Amino acid sequence: MRASELLLPMPAGLYCPPGDFYIDPVQPVERALITHGHSDHARSGHGKVLATKETLDIMAIRYGAEFARSSQVAAPGETFDLNGVTVRFLPAGHVLGSAQIVVEKDGMRIVASGDYKRRRDSTCAAFEPVQCDVFITEATFALPVFRHPDDREEIVRLLHSVAQFPERTHLVGAYALGKAQRVIRLIREAGYDRRIFIHGALERISAYYQQQGIDLGELRPATLEKGKARDFAGEIIVCTPSAFSDRWARRFADPVTCFASGWMRIRQRVKQRGVELPLILSDHSDWDELTETIKEVGAGEIWVTHGREEALVRWCELNGIVGRPLHLVGYEDENE
């Protein structure tokens, strides 16, 4: 079987004709296999959804219990037969519950990685490389300029600033699912045991992480009474990036705006966001991690999607690997 007969890009997403299912479809379909809970990959309105338990739980939190007509849990490594196509889910290391989807039929194996990272993260299971014929990789940070620093060093910078400016509130912008909880966990691992305040948009997902045994320490809602700005002086508040532009953010004590994102490598992005303390923290692989992963899985063909596709395809060509951009639409960096 040729790879293009097993999976092919369609307007709704990656489609498997023999299995009659889609992976991370951007439009409602009858059967969807979902890699993780971020809204550009996990949408409501499908007929049947197959995903990890955590991803299904997160979809229910975000969209309500009736996000699909029916759903089925895929345990890590469990094998499913869908019309003669074998599929299984393995950890992707992106966020809690994230998975690669291994698709096999007649000796052809394709791994759809979804989004993934390779560095340690105590809030989710680590990426498991799988030998395959075709590897479908994301390309969010697929340029040589993107080489992420040590996560712990970025948190040291944050805590140093907190100690240096005890009269100011530190607002840390981080995406609500995955990034926020990882930032909080990294702060805890650095030895910070004081209470951390969180924006209301983070409360339900953070509570779910803690229910899954991920210790985030004492979290308090960042509610603010009129005239009480000084109550948060010297505190850390984790919020969504969009909250920076809300009146909510302007009520705190001379806030230091921090943004945890791989995009903070780019000075222009820092300036555009008005960020005072950029924290280069990403839930996606950087250039070196992407290229090392491609070598590790040993695939003869690489399909590249949502990101800097051309650069990674060119790298593949220079290294004797067939590279193909998929040009899928509807997948964003979600304030990565």
Side-chain angles (χ1 to χ4, degrees), residues 80-103:
F80 297 85
D81 186 309
L82 303 180
N83 299 326
V85 176
T86 300
V87 300
R88 55 194 170 105
F89 289 61
L90 294 173
H94 180 53
V95 297
L96 182 62
S98 62
Q100 308 168 79
I101 299 177
V102 183
V103 182

Side-chain angles (χ1 to χ4, degrees), residues 18-249:
D20 193 23
F21 61 81
Y22 286 84
I23 295 177
D24 292 348
V26 298
Q27 302 169 13
V29 299
E30 178 57 27
R31 183 186 288 275
L33 278 57
I34 307 297
T35 60
H36 66 282
H38 280 152
S39 59
D40 59 334
H41 291 256
R43 292 170 164 85
S44 62
H46 303 307
K48 301 175 183 178
V49 171
L50 179 64
T52 65
K53 179 183 184 300
E54 295 86 352
T55 294
L56 294 175
D57 288 345
I58 288 166
M59 291 179 73
I61 290 170
R62 305 185 100 180
Y63 302 125
E66 305 299 321
F67 64 85
R69 193 170 64 248
S70 66
S71 62
Q72 184 176 2
V73 172
E78 182 179 3
T79 299
F80 297 85
D81 186 309
L82 303 180
N83 299 326
V85 176
T86 300
V87 300
R88 55 194 170 105
F89 289 61
L90 294 173
H94 180 53
V95 297
L96 182 62
S98 62
Q100 308 168 79
I101 299 177
V102 183
V103 182
E104 299 182 72
K105 182 176 175 60
D106 297 341
M108 171 60 64
R109 177 185 291 171
I110 302 177
V111 174
S113 66
D115 291 334
Y116 66 96
K117 70 175 179 294
R118 299 303 307 271
R119 56 187 62 197
R120 176 189 172 276
D121 179 355
S122 59
T123 68
C124 66
F127 178 95
E128 293 184 14
V130 181
Q131 295 289 302
C132 54
D133 300 295
V134 177
F135 183 65
I136 305 175
T137 181
E138 61 146 312
T140 304
F141 292 112
L143 287 174
V145 68
F146 291 113
R147 289 182 165 92
H148 305 323
D150 189 309
D151 304 335
R152 294 165 295 184
E153 292 177 1
E154 297 301 285
I155 296 302
V156 167
R157 292 175 56 240
L158 169 62
L159 296 182
H160 176 74
S161 181
V162 172
Q164 187 176 11
F165 301 107
E167 74 284 1
R168 303 179 68 185
T169 305
H170 281 67
L171 296 181
V172 182
Y175 187 67
L177 168 58
K179 179 68 67 63
Q181 295 76 31
R182 181 173 167 223
V183 166
I184 292 169
R185 185 63 203 148
L186 284 167
I187 291 172
R188 297 307 189 196
E189 290 174 354
Y192 187 91
D193 59 3
R194 292 166 52 188
R195 61 189 178 183
I196 293 174
F197 294 88
I198 59 174
H199 188 278
L202 309 183
E203 290 183 13
R204 294 184 68 193
I205 295 294
S206 297
Y208 177 73
Y209 266 64
Q210 291 186 303
Q211 291 166 11
Q212 303 310 303
I214 298 166
D215 184 9
L216 302 179
E218 182 184 3
L219 303 180
R220 296 279 189 88
T223 53
L224 188 66
E225 297 178 14
K226 188 175 181 180
K228 296 284 188 178
R230 291 185 180 177
D231 287 355
F232 290 94
E235 304 288 1
I236 296 174
I237 301 177
V238 182
C239 61
T240 58
S242 60
F244 285 162
S245 58
D246 292 345
R247 291 178 60 188
W248 174 89

